[in-house]
Amino acid sequence: MGDTTAGATSDGTADARDRDGEGRARNARPRDGLGRPLPYDADGVARQPEGVVRAPEETVVEAQALLDEGKPFHAHEVFEDAWKSGPDEERGLWRGLAQLAVGLTHAARGNVTGGARLLRRGAVGVEEWAARSGRERPYGTELAGVAAWARELADEVERGGGSVDARARAPRLRGMS
């Protein structure tokens, strides 16, 4: 069998994939605001750094700012960091919020089925987490309102069949305040 370490494929030819310093495949292509890869020579938006440990309140504030900028893919990465680095008892909260952000990402890309499905899955996730934990407003996040927003948007996406404006349809994680 050929070498499968960084820099070579199983048949021994050069591996053209981008890799990080530890040999893991990483796509270094620039991305647009919805996380879609662009040509290497294109100007993209700055990517969210991975693996950042933030206080929960910082996670909510940073994700909201990204959602307000029309960057739900980037907001999902912030939630994913919290999901991976936070306490076990909060993983369902952050996973549900990440699913909502990815659902908005897919809806903005015009993926009706995937967007609606992830929006609903995220709504269920945050509602189930709230019911289990007894916390309806963790870190100021109004989970009932966010879940209602997600279901409404999922229905709208399915009725309209097209893409939505991610900035215009961003949720207010902490309600109207």
Side-chain angles (χ1 to χ4, degrees):
M1 280 239 221
D3 182 9
T4 58
T5 59
T9 62
S10 60
D11 65 1
T13 60
D15 186 353
R17 292 188 296 172
D18 300 318
R19 298 205 176 261
D20 66 14
E22 294 163 10
R24 290 184 302 246
R26 297 282 186 220
N27 191 332
R29 287 173 61 182
R31 303 275 175 158
D32 71 5
L34 295 174
R36 294 176 290 214
L38 298 170
Y40 282 101
D41 60 348
D43 291 329
V45 300
R47 296 177 85 163
Q48 284 302 115
E50 292 182 38
V52 177
V53 177
R54 301 170 185 84
E57 294 83 2
E58 290 175 292
T59 295
V60 174
V61 168
E62 188 169 341
Q64 184 68 68
L66 291 163
L67 290 164
D68 291 346
E69 292 172 17
K71 298 177 182 174
F73 179 80
H74 297 77
H76 128 270
E77 291 178 331
V78 170
F79 288 134
E80 191 172 86
D81 284 342
W83 165 12
K84 291 178 178 179
S85 67
D88 287 344
E89 62 270 9
E90 291 187 356
R91 288 203 172 143
L93 166 66
W94 303 117
R95 181 178 55 240
L97 291 170
Q99 288 171 331
L100 293 171
V102 171
L104 177 56
T105 300
H106 282 282
R109 290 176 177 174
N111 178 354
V112 172
T113 302
R117 185 174 292 141
L118 282 162
L119 286 162
R120 289 192 181 102
R121 186 180 303 154
V124 168
V126 297
E127 288 172 332
E128 287 178 352
W129 183 87
R132 273 193 316 278
S133 70
R135 296 170 61 194
E136 296 179 11
R137 288 185 46 102
Y139 312 110
T141 304
E142 294 186 12
L143 297 181
V146 171
W149 162 85
R151 286 194 175 90
E152 180 182 308
L153 183 57
D155 291 345
E156 178 184 315
V157 166
E158 287 178 331
R159 277 192 310 274
S163 63
V164 300
D165 180 336
R167 184 184 310 229
R169 295 311 316 262
R172 302 301 314 155
L173 298 173
R174 293 182 163 171
M176 301 311 284
S177 56

